Amino acid sequence: MTEEERRRGRQARFEGLAHVVAEPLHRYLLRRTSPDLVDDVLSDTMLVLWRRLDDVPGLGTGPAPDPDDVLPWCYGVARACLANAHRADGRRLRLLERLVRTQRGPSATVTDHSDLHAALDRLGQLDREVVRLWAWEGLAPRQIALATGLTSNAVSLRLHRVKRKLAKQLGPTRKSTDPAGHKQMKEGAVGE
């Protein structure tokens, strides 16, 4: 048997299977999900059946299989495809909810960072991108270099210069003049 004959035989077997199972699978899916999802899940099911044609129990070499032999396994495939579609819908809904939450205005507990954003806006486009990749995305200079096309050394120098410039523009932000990590002790507090 040539490759072309095998391909034609496989196609004929699939067409015979599809002819027998398409309508029962469509009804099966209509009873289990929304009408707008049925055609997509049925398409996914038929794709799996095509890919796993040799695994379908009861599917002989003839063009017309017995529905009682092939349908139970095909229902199992449809059930799995439907579960995948429901999981995907759940992920889409969760993503949409997160996007809606982030698009709402800032809540009362969010700190106002308008001075920081104004200072960032005064930077050049590349400097602003370097700072954002470092501060917001948590990238190291070598990773920023890959993202921007600069060298690691150029990123480090640019980042140092921009941080110094931002610190100057924003002024002192510490509420205390104590060195970081140090507390002032009251007189006479030693040994108490």
Side-chain angles (χ1 to χ4, degrees):
M1 186 183 294
T2 68
E3 184 63 34
E4 181 64 24
E5 289 171 334
R6 273 193 290 266
R7 188 186 63 75
R8 279 192 209 136
R10 179 177 173 80
Q11 185 172 348
R13 287 176 62 214
F14 177 74
E15 287 172 359
L17 177 66
H19 180 73
V20 168
V21 300
E23 188 58 35
L25 289 176
H26 189 265
R27 286 191 310 265
Y28 171 86
L29 293 169
L30 275 173
R31 288 189 291 270
R32 284 163 177 76
T33 192
S34 63
D36 59 327
L37 195 57
V38 169
D39 289 337
D40 291 338
V41 176
L42 183 59
S43 296
D44 290 343
T45 303
M46 298 308 281
L47 180 62
V48 171
L49 292 178
W50 169 256
R51 289 179 180 159
R52 298 195 54 201
L53 190 62
D54 294 333
D55 297 335
V56 179
L59 184 62
T61 56
D66 181 4
D68 292 336
D69 293 338
V70 294
L71 265 174
W73 192 82
C74 294
Y75 284 141
V77 171
R79 184 173 177 269
C81 289
L82 183 59
N84 287 342
H86 284 160
R87 280 192 297 275
D89 274 352
R91 285 191 301 270
R92 277 191 290 275
L93 285 174
R94 286 189 299 277
L95 175 62
L96 182 60
E97 288 170 359
R98 277 197 330 252
L99 289 172
V100 167
R101 280 194 307 266
T102 59
Q103 294 301 319
R104 291 182 187 147
S107 66
T109 60
V110 174
T111 307
D112 178 30
H113 294 294
S114 58
D115 55 341
L116 174 61
H117 291 288
L120 283 171
D121 288 341
R122 288 189 289 270
L123 296 174
Q125 184 178 356
L126 187 56
D127 286 344
R128 192 169 42 245
E129 181 65 12
V130 167
V131 169
R132 287 177 176 163
L133 288 171
W134 171 75
W136 294 349
E137 307 306 328
L139 297 183
R142 66 179 170 71
Q143 295 168 315
I144 296 170
L146 287 172
T148 60
L150 299 170
T151 65
S152 295
N153 192 37
V155 169
S156 294
L157 291 171
R158 189 176 289 266
L159 191 57
H160 177 72
R161 188 185 77 239
V162 170
K163 287 193 300 187
R164 201 173 53 219
K165 186 176 184 179
L166 285 173
K168 190 181 237 184
Q169 287 178 10
L170 295 173
T173 57
R174 273 199 244 168
K175 295 180 181 181
S176 170
T177 57
D178 298 337
H182 297 275
K183 292 183 181 178
Q184 292 288 355
M185 292 176 43
K186 296 180 185 176
E187 283 188 43
V190 176
E192 290 185 275

